[in-house]
Amino acid sequence: MAGSSYKKIEPGLKSVAAVQSPIAFIDLKAQRRRLGQAIDDAVQGVFAHGRYILGPEVSELESQLTAFCGTKFAVTCSSGTDALALVLMAKAVGPGDAVFCPTFTFCATAEVVAQLGATPVFIDSDRTSMNMDPESLKCGISTARSLGLHPVGVIPVDLFGQPADYDRILPIAEQEGLWVLADAAQAFGAVYKGRPVGTLAMATTTSFFPAKPLGCYGDGGAVLTDDADLAAVIKSLRVHGQGEDKYDNVRIGMAARLDTIQAAILLQKLAIFADEIAQREGVAARYSEALADICEVPVIAEGLRSVWAQYTIKVPLTKNRDEVVRALAAERIPTAVYYPRPLHKQTGYRRYPTAAEKLDRAERLAQEVLSLPMHPYLEASTQKYIVDAVRRALS
Ligand SMILES: *Cc1c(COP(=O)(O)O)cnc(C)c1O
């Protein structure tokens, strides 16, 4: 974040009186007001031409996504989860294969692996970045081999908007002959040492779920890759495995397209996305400035740029996090815990292997994390009110 400019919260700012309407955790309505008529016109445009499936807005969005992140191909699809599934299907992942996933993530990362009959192997987190720990990945690979599994790929997650440690993960994967699929559902628009998210791995997936940094008004997602063959297979898979001839399906696929209306909406949102990322950085900087002395605030590694899908602090274990949540709720401040349980502790995932007997750091993170309201339209006065309440709750 070095070099980014932001307004500090002025000490004299009247906060409580300024906050009359309920505070939004993510304020989609403020964004909607900013976009105004442009969104209505974009949707009307789709009604006018009537090409609701794979209409012109879909290909326009795909070309603008490639321009935004500098990748050769973007294939949009029905969700971030389906984006992951499409890549795994293209790589023919199946029974006996091991795919390495962080345990401290949203379930979809591992769900798609299990759904295809392969084995997700859970990896511990780095305490500071909260992303996949490369040392634990090494352990996970040998654990998988010792269980007779065939390691095929790694799915690092760019948690809360910050890219994972690709400079350490990619060489491990290469040495072991594994592909890397980046789950950037929370991180489209982020940058890793000068390289945009989308260009860091064999393939990158993202989500346009409404609450993600770049969200539509429903479900949506995309796969980004430089691999022409992979992009072509995924394009076929998203339409039932269609071949050159529409009625000669050459593989087993899915119905996983992005609606034209959602593409039209995303084109409008993409136009203001760079500005929104800068706004999020300002919000994050103000939080960190005001909270760093009383709790662990997010640390963005040197040379990285987060898109701040979440602003997540670590509540000291000496405090009761539930009480902190209740105290903030009493002041009408919404918060969220992403994630209260690592995947290897969840009922559906307990039977899958873990890199080591205990994934201590992820388990501890699950007890400590607390996400505060974060969106580009969070005003300084509202943020001052939140910060004051957080300080009271933590002191
Ligand atoms: C949101 C999310 C997904 C799934 O995206 P959907 O569009 O909701 O299917 C996958 N992985 C991570 C890390 C996510 O945060």
Side-chain angles (χ1 to χ4, degrees), residues 10-350:
E10 289 163 42
L13 213 60
K14 281 249 175 53
S15 58
V16 184
V19 180
Q20 270 137 12
S21 52
I23 297 171
F25 186 69
I26 293 173
D27 197 347
L28 292 176
K29 287 185 180 145
Q31 185 200 48
R32 175 74 188 91
R33 283 193 296 274
R34 172 180 177 182
L35 290 165
Q37 191 63 33
I39 288 274
D40 299 61
D41 292 348
V43 174
Q44 284 296 335
V46 178
F47 292 151
H49 66 59
R51 292 171 61 191
Y52 298 110
I53 299 295
L54 299 179
E57 286 83 355
V58 174
S59 32
E60 176 59 23
L61 175 67
E62 289 174 343
S63 86
Q64 289 201 21
L65 290 171
T66 61
F68 193 94
C69 72
T71 191
K72 286 201 183 118
F73 304 95
V75 184
T76 56
C77 63
S78 41
S79 70
T81 305
D82 289 343
L84 290 163
L86 287 165
V87 177
L88 296 186
M89 287 167 77
K91 300 306 284 183
V93 169
D97 292 341
V99 177
F100 305 93
C101 310
T103 188
F104 192 59
T105 178
F106 182 61
C107 65
T109 313
E111 181 185 30
V112 288
V113 175
Q115 207 156 43
L116 288 168
T119 305
V121 178
F122 292 116
I123 306 300
D124 210 349
S125 312
D126 174 77
R127 172 162 174 82
T128 307
S129 69
M130 302 183 259
N131 276 326
M132 177 184 271
D133 171 31
E135 289 305 315
S136 178
L137 171 60
K138 286 187 198 163
C139 296
I141 296 168
S142 43
T143 302
R145 292 227 164 87
S146 72
L147 293 170
L149 295 164
H150 174 49
V152 293
V154 190
I155 312 184
V157 175
D158 302 337
L159 201 68
F160 305 144
Q162 170 169 218
D165 194 350
Y166 292 98
D167 275 356
R168 289 176 64 205
I169 292 171
L170 289 166
I172 298 169
E174 192 174 5
Q175 196 180 346
E176 302 281 349
L178 312 178
W179 44 253
V180 176
L181 162 57
D183 180 350
Q186 304 178 11
F188 183 73
V191 180
Y192 183 87
K193 302 183 186 177
R195 289 174 287 155
V197 160
T199 62
L200 300 165
M202 165 200 76
T204 301
T205 57
T206 195
S207 164
F208 303 130
F209 185 83
K212 308 285 173 162
L214 180 63
C216 58
Y217 290 147
D219 279 308
V223 180
L224 308 158
T225 183
D226 280 343
D227 182 335
D229 295 333
L230 182 65
V233 172
I234 290 169
K235 273 195 159 179
S236 158
L237 284 169
R238 80 173 169 185
V239 198
H240 306 287
Q242 173 178 294
E244 296 279 297
D245 169 352
K246 188 171 169 183
Y247 291 104
D248 181 27
N249 292 292
V250 295
R251 50 179 69 80
I252 305 302
M254 336 205 272
R257 298 156 299 229
L258 178 73
D259 291 344
T260 308
I261 287 179
Q262 299 300 346
I265 289 161
L266 282 163
L267 281 168
Q268 297 306 315
K269 293 204 185 194
L270 190 57
I272 59 165
F273 188 49
D275 176 66
E276 288 190 332
I277 295 172
Q279 296 292 334
R280 285 174 183 273
E281 285 182 320
V283 171
R286 290 195 304 239
Y287 268 140
S288 294
E289 169 99 6
L291 295 173
D293 63 320
I294 52 158
C295 62
E296 278 183 62
V297 296
V299 178
I300 304 304
E302 187 70 34
L304 275 57
R305 191 175 183 205
S306 175
V307 288
W308 298 101
Q310 300 295 337
Y311 185 88
T312 305
I313 61 171
K314 298 179 184 111
V315 174
L317 288 176
T318 51
K319 302 276 170 215
N320 181 326
R321 183 177 58 188
D322 291 341
E323 273 170 24
V324 173
V325 168
R326 274 195 294 275
L328 294 172
E331 306 204 50
R332 298 188 308 157
I333 296 168
T335 56
V337 174
Y338 299 122
Y339 298 94
R341 264 191 216 206
L343 288 176
H344 72 283
K345 292 281 183 188
Q346 296 188 21
T347 311
Y349 295 90
R350 237 176 233 141

